[in-house]
Amino acid sequence: MAKYGKWVGLGLGWALGGPIGGLLGLAFGSMFDGMQSGSFEYKGQQLYGAPGVKQTRPGDFAASLIVLAAAVMKADGKVLKSELDYVKDFFNRQFGAKLAIENMLVLRELLKQEINVRDVSQQIHTYMDHSSRLQLIHFLFGISSADGHVHTHEVEMIRKISDYLGIRTADFESIKAMFYKDVYGAYKILETTPDANEEELKKAYRKMATKYHPDKVTHLGEEFQKAANEKFQNLNSAWEQIKKERGLK
């Protein structure tokens, strides 16, 4: 267990069981001699959190993220260097250079595996709180747009994952609009429409500001709040754009 102690040290709980644990077991089995190949069995304490108790440790989030990232990167049949660089940069910023290297090794092994997106996503839905699931979708769009182009197959994969995660269509479109701009993008981010009046717009902004506030993911640790801050800044930028266009104060 010492060889992957950094992963366990992240606070892994429920992610060590089920389909995510099985995929990590295959990855670790390929990376390290003497490791079990195939299903990874968690034989320590009871899985952290029970179904319906939405508790998420940083390690559970990281494990979920890296498995889903592999699924999205594989969706269009090719893995781009820009995507790998984006993920590496993210883990460098979140966990530091040493752990980022280990994460990338795991990702490269996961890219060789068949990933049952439905089973993995349903495991995440069972245990992960809603704000953390929204943050996962935000990161996956970051991967898809890493090279500056829209990848239809990757966006559809994220949509499928979003559905399995129990994310509302409006929330999905709001996060998507932060990465793929169009003429009504600012309104989509606020989950409203151009025909909304001033009071409706202000109400929509307040609602989204509460939903996307970085404090919603404080339980994941300070590092993950950096990504949450980016999402919150996109929301504020959209609101400022609408206010300017509409002459609102």
Side-chain angles (χ1 to χ4, degrees):
M1 187 171 286
K3 291 186 178 181
Y4 53 96
K6 292 180 182 178
W7 269 82
V8 176
L10 281 174
L12 283 163
W14 51 260
L16 285 179
I20 295 177
L23 287 166
L24 292 179
L26 287 170
F28 286 130
S30 299
M31 288 165 57
F32 303 119
D33 292 337
M35 289 287 295
Q36 176 182 341
S37 180
S39 178
F40 176 64
E41 297 180 8
Y42 179 56
K43 298 180 180 179
Q45 299 176 346
Q46 183 178 1
L47 293 181
Y48 181 80
V53 180
K54 305 295 187 178
Q55 296 174 306
T56 307
R57 293 181 176 182
D60 296 320
F61 185 89
S64 302
L65 187 154
I66 206 165
V67 171
L68 293 179
V72 171
M73 293 168 72
K74 287 157 54 78
D76 62 355
K78 58 182 180 295
V79 177
L80 301 175
K81 183 178 182 298
S82 58
E83 295 172 331
L84 289 169
D85 287 344
Y86 180 93
V87 179
K88 183 178 180 180
D89 179 65
F90 178 88
F91 280 111
N92 264 315
R93 287 185 283 111
Q94 303 306 324
F95 303 120
K98 290 185 178 180
L99 190 52
I101 292 173
E102 185 170 311
N103 280 316
M104 293 307 295
L105 288 173
V106 174
L107 176 61
R108 290 178 185 277
E109 290 300 326
L110 288 172
L111 288 169
K112 304 173 186 177
Q113 310 298 333
E114 289 296 324
I115 298 174
N116 188 320
V117 173
R118 178 180 179 180
D119 288 353
V120 167
S121 299
Q122 288 180 343
Q123 180 183 0
I124 295 169
H125 187 197
T126 299
Y127 293 101
M128 186 177 288
D129 61 277
H130 183 254
S131 295
S132 297
R133 282 179 275 142
L134 289 175
Q135 194 60 44
L136 278 177
I137 297 300
H138 186 267
F139 178 72
L140 294 177
F141 269 117
I143 294 174
S144 177
S145 63
D147 65 348
H149 297 288
V150 177
H151 301 278
T152 304
H153 293 300
E154 291 182 347
V155 171
E156 286 307 308
M157 175 59 73
I158 299 172
R159 186 186 300 277
K160 182 184 298 185
I161 290 170
S162 181
D163 288 343
Y164 290 143
L165 291 180
I167 303 297
R168 294 168 54 247
T169 299
D171 286 331
F172 171 85
E173 293 295 339
S174 172
I175 297 173
K176 178 184 175 183
M178 295 180 184
F179 293 91
Y180 300 112
K181 307 298 182 182
D182 63 39
V183 66
Y184 299 125
Y187 292 93
K188 290 180 180 178
I189 290 174
L190 265 63
E191 295 186 7
T192 187
T193 59
D195 59 358
N197 61 38
E198 180 176 351
E199 184 57 35
E200 290 170 333
L201 289 171
K202 290 180 177 179
K203 183 178 179 180
Y205 171 71
R206 289 194 295 268
K207 178 181 178 182
M208 297 302 291
T210 299
K211 182 187 298 185
Y212 286 164
H213 199 282
D215 285 351
K216 290 285 188 177
V217 292
T218 53
H219 57 287
L220 295 178
E222 182 179 350
E223 296 84 358
F224 282 108
Q225 282 189 279
K226 296 176 184 177
N229 277 321
E230 177 185 329
K231 181 156 49 59
F232 193 65
Q233 288 167 4
N234 283 329
L235 171 65
N236 285 330
S237 295
W239 175 229
E240 291 300 321
Q241 178 183 330
I242 291 173
K243 286 199 299 181
K244 184 177 180 179
E245 292 174 352
R246 302 277 289 263
L248 305 178
K249 296 182 178 180

